Amino acid sequence: MKTYFILDGYSLIYKSYFAFIRNPMMNPKGENSSAIFGFFRTLFSLFDRYNPEYFLVTLDSLTPTFRHEMYPEYKATRDKTPEDLHAQIPRIEAILKALGITALRKNGYEADDIIATYAKKCQAEDSQCRIITGDKDLLQLVSDNIKVIRYSKDDYNEMDRDGVFKEWGVWPEQILDYLALCGDSADNIPGVKGIGPKGAVTLLQTYGSIDSIYENIENIKGANKAKLEASKEDCLLSRKLVQLCSDVPLEQCLDDFSTANLNYHAAVPLLKEEGIKSAIKWLEEKAGVPAGGLFAQNPADEVPEAPKQEAKKGVYTTITQLSQLDELIEKVKKAGIYAFDSETDSLDFVSNHPVGFSIAVKAEEGFYIPIQAEGKYYIPEEIIKNKLRQILEDPSLKLIGQNFKFDYQVLKRWGINPAGLWFDTMIAAWLVDTKISVYNMDYLADHYFNYKTITYDDVVPKGKFFQDVPLEQATEYAAEDADITFRLYEHLYPIVKAHNEKLFFDVEMPLVTILGDMELEGIRIDKHVLEKYSVELEAQLSAIEIEIYKECGKEFNINSTQQLQEILFTDRKLKPIKKTKTGYSTDTTVLEELALEDVVPQLILRYRALAKLKSTYVDALPLQTDSSSRIHTTFRQTGTATGRLSSINPNLQNIPIRDEEGRRIRKAFTARAGMVFLSADYSQIELVVLAHLSEDPELTKAFKEGVDVHRLTASLVFGVPQEAVTPDQRRVAKVINFGVIYGMSAFRLGRDLNISVSQASGFIKMYFEKYAGVQRFINQTLDYAREHECVKTILGRERFINAINSQNHNERSGAERIAFNSPIQGSAADIVKMAMINISQKLKEKGLESKMVLQIHDELIFEVPQKEVEVMKKLVKEEMENVIKLHVPLRVSIETAESWGDMH
């Protein structure tokens, strides 16, 4: 019996993209390739698992579907596909085409409809069909012949009829009615308001179907009856929207999807462009040629170096006896260097507890010390703690970690203060190669050693904990982490030494524990402030809605792209600016331009800004606090190529700073009783760095004399004395000053200042005439970048820029902007980091209670006892202004207040 495999393409593409959203995969051109990497990793894993004879990838329509005609608001609430994801889809299709795997779409229909059509054909032929998807809608197709395969890493769960019932409480033939009752906010399917999953299951288990429910509506008691009656039309509409079309007019027959003649050679050049070595290796294995062989057989391609030989597995030992632990501790002391890793059952450092630790003192060997495994305690926890303290708190022993900030926080909460952190392999990999963008251990092991690590999901079943894993498996997983960390150290240490040893050891490594302490400390939020503001914002949004409806003469769904298009371009006859696949664009840039001539786009922009503020910060922040109402952001040291720190979960660096709304949010951040916040902010640090690097005489003189640099620029550009510069002229000069740093074009400057492109071009030309040193610096930087394909900061931090010599004008222009901005932004980031390190050291030396709690790019925020305020003002200012010697002075402004919002 034949088995046909059908892959829901977009389901896997989106899953792959968002799996790497925190650390995107980047190809050699510097483009995001996360979706491509994840898609083909899963695809090839499927081929290894099932060896399919027939395989089809289905894709969604490029045009609106029949469901949009039926219900214009269908999927209207979905976020716009990220541009860097959208750009990967044609590349995925090209690789599939080169391989000879059919990728099929039919405009007017969704991928699910194509799947339903071919699944029905399989049923008719009594063939087997396997649908690979994460989409619950397709569960309605499951039958004796048709199963759905759910994939998670290398785990494939085949769901049959019983599996559907076990997970959802209804049978496959009831899934359609189940979804119609519940609705789906992601697709904007209304369902029955007030009926959730549990209610839908109960109704269907009682009555069998929606038709039967409404036939027996008089027998249904209480609120459910009222809900069902009020939403009957929505329910029936929802069922139509969710129901799959199984008669899509398609030309290909099932046998057209044969995999008998795949062309492995043709796909290699495309995968090479994406830098996906593991996929190329898979193709070579399938083609039965030696490593690098497919390249060699294609003379049009450059023959690369042969991939590294796959690294050997290590020998791993479980430490279950005190004598073994003592022996391991002595081994570490004798070696003087060791890799360390902790195991927990939570990624939340605020509440987690270690369940074991692993150590390696040389490559291909590792030891696992369980605190608890399979319900047993082999060595008492306090004894393990006291033994580990002997090495972890000894600063003379060199400790190696991979993303050790997490382990540091686990250990500190457990009662140990690690003192000897010397080398973090994640930081080292990022410092020496900003191109790869992924620095987790699994990726680095594959990237450097061609080694496939054991993953957490490989050993811990869904719903279980690490401490439940059989001890032998736990040891293989945990000890491997320490072993691979040691191997990464041996590989990366020589590169770091040759690359930029001082930056790594003097700046990046000390910062690991400083950031760890800042995250542990957190910052307090007064939830009542945000709750009150949420109510105010809701009232403002309602008022704006009413105003929009009044201006338009009717009500409509403000969040619906289609309805907004009709309002703006049909009713109000505004001129469309940009076209998309679903009509004319209504994105922010378009609305900003339309707002110059019509009040409705102005109101829409205001509505969107307040709605985003409310959902992203005002309503979300209180949900992210601990039991003490403190919020613990995560600072990502490897999050940018420039060296800047980034902040996630939540992003506290992105709260708006230039308007009243942002200030209202920051007012909710309050200091402890008897303490205040102290803010230390570098004044115009990037312009200071520009003056230092360019050595432009005018800029240098301005900063040395403490002149208002924006007033000076206005004076030079407009040809008036500084004392005669108007506020509007200074505003223009400020935009130009900062725009130059980011390579702002005349078009962008004109748009931002609401002036003509030619006038903006004139301003930029005048700027470079007056600041000739800046123009010279730009030219020198670009020349260096073109020759070396990288640029450097003051401290020698490198950023690689492959696209700087691209033949594509847009790619090259973007690379040139990056090349010029990176030394400035990166140098500023280096200076702030150095200041953080110096201040932290001074706090320890003087025994002060003040804590550094936030870094907002050029600003440091401390929580300071009242008795230490004057000491801290002097200490922080002195350290920040004297952290490095530049041609021009660094200046820092200091403020104190009981809330963050009361500063600036």
Side-chain angles (χ1 to χ4, degrees), residues 176-177 180 210-211 234-243:
L176 173 62
D177 287 357
I210 284 176
D211 292 337
D234 282 345
C235 180
L236 298 178
L237 170 64
S238 298
R239 184 166 62 174
K240 288 181 181 178
L241 292 170
V242 176
Q243 187 167 23

Side-chain angles (χ1 to χ4, degrees), residues 437-508:
S437 290
V438 180
Y439 304 100
N440 62 57
M441 180 183 293
D442 299 336
Y443 178 81
L444 293 178
D446 179 55
H447 181 71
Y448 288 120
F449 310 133
N450 198 20
Y451 182 101
K452 183 174 174 57
T453 55
I454 305 167
T455 67
Y456 186 86
D457 290 344
D458 290 335
V459 295
V460 183
K462 189 176 180 181
K464 297 290 184 180
F465 295 102
F466 191 78
Q467 59 187 317
D468 302 325
V469 174
L471 190 53
E472 184 178 345
Q473 286 180 256
T475 298
E476 288 296 305
Y477 168 79
E480 181 188 70
D481 282 355
D483 170 25
I484 296 301
T485 297
F486 202 94
R487 297 192 210 190
L488 286 170
Y489 154 72
E490 289 188 325
H491 178 81
L492 289 167
Y493 178 53
I495 304 174
V496 167
K497 285 197 71 173
H499 187 80
N500 197 327
E501 186 176 17
K502 187 173 176 62
L503 179 63
F504 178 76
F505 285 110
D506 292 353
V507 178
E508 296 300 345

